[in-house]
Amino acid sequence: MKIRLYNTLGRELQVFEPLEAGTARMYACGPTVYNYAHIGNLRTYVFEDLLRRTFSYFDYTVEHVMNVTDVGHLTDDGDEGEDKMIKSAREQGKSVWDIANHFSDAFFRDLEKLNIQMPEVVCKATDHIEDMIGLIKRLEERGYTYLAGGNLYFDVAKFEKYGELALLDRAKLQAGARVEVDVNKRNPQDFVLWFTNSKFDQQAMQWDSPWGRGYPGWHIECSAMSMRYLGEQFDIHLGGVDHIPVHHTNEIAQSEAATGKPWVRYWIHGEFLVMTGGKMSKSAGGFITLESLEEMGYHPLDYRYFCLGGHYRTQLQFTEDSLNAARAARHNLLDRVRRLRNEALQNGTSVGTAVGSAENELGDGAQAHLRAFEAAVAEDLNIPKALAELWQSLKDDSVSAQERVELASRMDCILAIGVGTAAEGADEAEASQEDVAEIEALIAERNEARTSRNFARADEIRDDLKERGVVLEDGPEGTRWKRG
RNA sequence: GGCGCCGUACCCAAGUGGUAAGGGGGAGGCCUGCAAAACCUUUAUUCACCGGUUCGAAUCCGGUCGGCGCCUCCA
């Protein structure tokens, strides 16, 4: 199956052709760990997970590298502003190292809750200072740097293709620039490779370097670490759209300047989650974390499902209504899969075993659904369409219950919204044995009440259980219950 | 001021030249002691607006209005 992806470099859909057949090497810009991730940040990691799962699904070997930026960086790109890590540490009365560990741990917990697979390599900036210094030295040797005011800068004028990714026109940028001018810079787009001249005396993170004691500029870590783990040329670089004009533009400049050859083949960017009035950000007051959604009663995978409802390259509107819709949809989906599983079991067929194995041959009807699903995914990750195909598969009566469960399992290898678990018959929240006994006792009492036409008592029990999150369903074969 | 994206039903959202996916919600039916759940039916002759190209446009072109992102740390 050919996978087509939208390459920001060139702004067009392209068939993915890896440098090495059968292997997809990708680098994703990770978090700066000075605060909790908000759900807008997490949307991007869900998108990246969908991509890596897609490659796995189509039998690629995936080498996925993600950095953790645990070095303090300034709130702007010059030598002004405040160091975010230091600010956070001061506010919370902790060391910068503690801050980094704390928020890094929180971040990976969030990823796990969202069924986001861990990259093959997760690398911390502070563990790779030597790699960065090495790369900067190469830049220096090739004449791309200059020293000014104690800091070492990258000279964008020396790099012909600067700004190609972002379609930047340097002349126009200069005319429209309204940033404070760093007097040390020869060009406004020049950026710091190594700081020695920080105005922050309390900078806790400092390292020795050929240019003096200090710390690296922000952009260099991604170039240094990606090359360290993926080589000087690799397939894909991922990130949020906000990185296109500055961060990724600078990464390309310094990487290709250092090696003298093309660096990354495909640049793929995820769009923002937006709220009424604009994007999610701390300053705007709309800072929502995954944990806060859980406190509101949502399952983390409800949020993942929500993310799958929109294409990764379009802004997605986050509202309470739309998240509620996602939660309801996911619950209905899991219910449907569970019912189909029960139906298949009653038919005496085995289900939920050995997903994707040769024993689970699918009939023509089921295969048509699977092909439609795969085609949607392979066409620039059209997950909303793929999700629609899952729904249609489950509703197609011409396909056996067993096959429908099998389809759901296979599709969930990419979607990862809990359908696979449901197909195996496991519940996300298993009730304890005592709870089960108590609930079933109450149900028995209620059914006795119903037989003796004591409907007041029967309804009372039903309401009590409902408050505990247990929903009763009276059917021809008796009363069934489930977690609401 | 410059660059880019978007505007599809009550809501979220696919679709980018061949006659509107999917989900949520709503409505009706069936069932029920009443409910709930399931199931069935239904919910945009129309894609912000105005022109144009075309046999044919939500999809292409031009304009108008509206929203958003970036140009500054940012997913």
Side-chain angles (χ1 to χ4, degrees):
Chain A
M1 174 74 71
K2 282 193 187 326
I3 298 174
R4 298 214 308 161
L5 297 168
Y6 184 86
N7 194 347
T8 304
L9 192 59
R11 314 276 162 140
E12 62 177 10
L13 282 172
Q14 296 172 349
V15 174
F16 175 69
E17 286 166 6
L19 288 165
E20 183 185 328
T23 298
R25 294 194 174 90
M26 51 197 234
Y27 181 87
C29 286
T32 301
V33 284
Y34 69 104
N35 200 345
Y36 293 106
H38 62 238
I39 57 175
N41 296 318
L42 294 172
R43 181 190 181 195
T44 298
Y45 299 104
V46 168
F47 140 64
E48 292 167 355
D49 183 61
L50 291 167
L51 182 63
R52 67 161 289 145
R53 283 171 178 274
T54 295
F55 282 125
S56 295
Y57 183 95
F58 290 118
D59 295 323
Y60 282 85
T61 298
V62 177
E63 291 181 26
H64 178 190
V65 176
M66 184 170 75
N67 68 300
V68 171
T69 302
D70 58 347
V71 181
H73 286 300
L74 305 182
T75 51
D76 71 33
D77 208 35
D79 205 9
E80 305 290 325
E82 191 168 15
D83 183 296
K84 290 186 288 193
M85 295 278 296
I86 291 176
K87 183 165 181 274
S88 184
R90 190 190 66 229
E91 286 169 358
Q92 304 199 28
K94 293 178 178 169
S95 80
V96 285
W97 304 94
D98 287 342
I99 289 294
N101 283 329
H102 174 79
F103 290 115
S104 181
D105 289 348
F107 174 73
F108 288 108
R109 274 199 303 277
D110 283 349
L111 297 196
E112 191 177 356
K113 286 177 187 170
L114 289 168
N115 269 176
I116 292 171
Q117 297 175 335
M118 278 296 275
E120 278 62 36
V121 175
V122 172
C123 47
K124 296 200 287 188
T126 51
D127 289 340
H128 297 79
I129 301 297
E130 285 307 313
D131 289 322
M132 297 183 215
I133 289 172
L135 191 61
I136 298 171
K137 276 187 187 164
R138 289 172 74 178
L139 286 169
E140 193 170 40
E141 284 159 14
R142 294 175 67 106
Y144 284 99
T145 66
Y146 62 90
L147 207 51
N151 295 331
L152 190 71
Y153 290 88
F154 183 90
D155 188 351
V156 300
K158 298 272 172 60
F159 188 71
E160 285 294 319
K161 284 159 59 187
Y162 186 83
E164 190 180 73
L165 176 74
L167 306 176
L168 300 181
D169 181 328
R170 254 187 293 170
K172 283 185 182 168
L173 275 181
Q174 285 176 321
R178 59 182 169 81
V179 279
E180 278 201 44
V181 180
D182 178 344
V183 293
N184 293 320
K185 288 185 181 180
R186 294 178 185 170
N187 282 298
Q189 286 72 50
D190 289 351
F191 51 94
V192 177
L193 294 165
W194 189 268
F195 287 97
T196 62
N197 193 29
S198 173
K199 60 183 179 180
F200 308 108
D201 299 332
Q202 301 307 313
Q203 175 62 274
M205 293 177 167
Q206 293 190 38
W207 295 267
D208 288 322
S209 84
W211 313 280
R213 194 162 172 78
Y215 58 98
W218 175 41
H219 313 293
I220 197 71
E221 66 175 71
C222 289
S223 295
M225 292 193 284
S226 62
M227 289 191 210
R228 164 75 179 264
Y229 294 106
L230 296 171
E232 292 187 355
Q233 295 179 294
F234 57 94
D235 301 307
I236 297 173
H237 195 122
L238 302 163
V241 286
D242 53 313
H243 282 325
I244 297 170
V246 177
H247 184 49
H248 289 168
T249 289
N250 291 347
E251 279 186 55
I252 291 171
Q254 67 196 182
S255 299
E256 301 197 347
T259 66
K261 54 193 179 191
W263 185 41
V264 171
R265 314 227 313 167
Y266 305 92
W267 289 84
I268 307 175
H269 293 96
E271 254 294 354
F272 276 143
L273 179 77
V274 298
M275 306 183 70
T276 312
K279 72 170 183 176
M280 180 166 294
S281 68
K282 266 200 304 184
S283 52
F287 193 90
I288 301 174
T289 61
L290 188 64
E291 195 177 349
S292 67
L293 292 186
E294 290 180 271
E295 282 164 7
M296 286 186 256
Y298 298 98
H299 186 107
L301 294 182
D302 293 335
Y303 179 65
R304 184 178 173 108
Y305 186 100
F306 169 81
C307 291
L308 305 194
H311 186 87
Y312 77 89
R313 282 196 291 115
T314 65
Q315 293 178 351
L316 183 58
Q317 297 290 333
F318 180 83
T319 62
E320 198 176 329
D321 281 350
S322 55
L323 184 60
N324 284 340
R327 172 168 60 184
R330 197 178 78 91
H331 284 200
N332 290 161
L333 192 60
L334 297 191
D335 265 356
R336 195 175 277 268
V337 172
R338 289 191 193 106
R339 280 196 305 276
L340 284 168
R341 175 188 151 80
N342 289 337
E343 188 184 326
L345 288 173
Q346 278 166 13
N347 295 341
T349 50
S350 67
V351 288
T353 55
V355 169
S357 70
E359 302 91 77
N360 289 315
E361 287 298 326
L362 296 171
D364 290 346
Q367 279 196 27
H369 285 299
L370 195 60
R371 278 196 296 272
F373 172 84
E374 290 168 353
V377 170
E379 183 63 11
D380 196 29
L381 237 55
N382 192 335
I383 301 297
K385 191 174 180 187
L387 195 54
E389 188 53 45
L390 170 59
W391 279 98
Q392 289 184 329
S393 307
L394 293 176
K395 291 195 285 192
D396 185 349
D397 291 333
S398 71
V399 175
S400 76
Q402 183 207 3
E403 284 184 319
R404 279 184 272 176
V405 173
E406 172 68 16
L407 281 174
S409 277
R410 294 199 193 189
M411 292 177 187
D412 203 48
C413 292
I414 291 175
L415 304 178
I417 45 182
V419 166
T421 315
E424 287 161 19
D427 272 320
E428 280 162 0
E430 291 284 358
S432 71
Q433 289 304 312
E434 308 89 79
D435 278 353
V436 171
E438 189 189 344
I439 289 165
E440 287 179 352
L442 283 167
I443 290 173
E445 185 189 340
R446 171 170 171 269
N447 283 333
E448 279 177 36
R450 290 173 71 208
T451 329
S452 54
R453 303 192 68 80
N454 180 2
F455 298 122
R457 176 57 185 155
D459 289 347
E460 187 187 355
I461 291 172
R462 186 172 65 202
D463 291 344
D464 285 352
L465 285 173
K466 189 175 183 183
E467 267 183 38
R468 293 172 52 176
V470 175
V471 179
L472 303 187
E473 295 170 11
D474 296 327
E477 297 102 36
T479 302
R480 294 198 309 129
W481 67 275
K482 64 175 185 180
R483 295 274 164 185

